[in-house]
Amino acid sequence: MSMRGEIISKEYQRMVWVKDETGKEFACYAKDMHDRKHLTDDVKARCLDTSLIAGDSW
């Protein structure tokens, strides 16, 4: 595995996928999550909305 692949793999392992109350999925760093069952606007701001990558119908 290349150095770039190793870096990406390490970052991926530090992430969690969570859904908000509307069912929208976000990729977040686990360290930013205090309660995976309640996604606050503050936490959402530090996460990535997965629909921006995969599209709404994914």
Side-chain angles (χ1 to χ4, degrees), residues 31-43:
K31 68 178 179 65
D32 292 335
M33 299 298 303
H34 301 290
D35 179 3
R36 289 179 63 178
K37 294 182 181 180
H38 187 259
L39 194 58
T40 65
D41 288 337
D42 183 48
V43 173

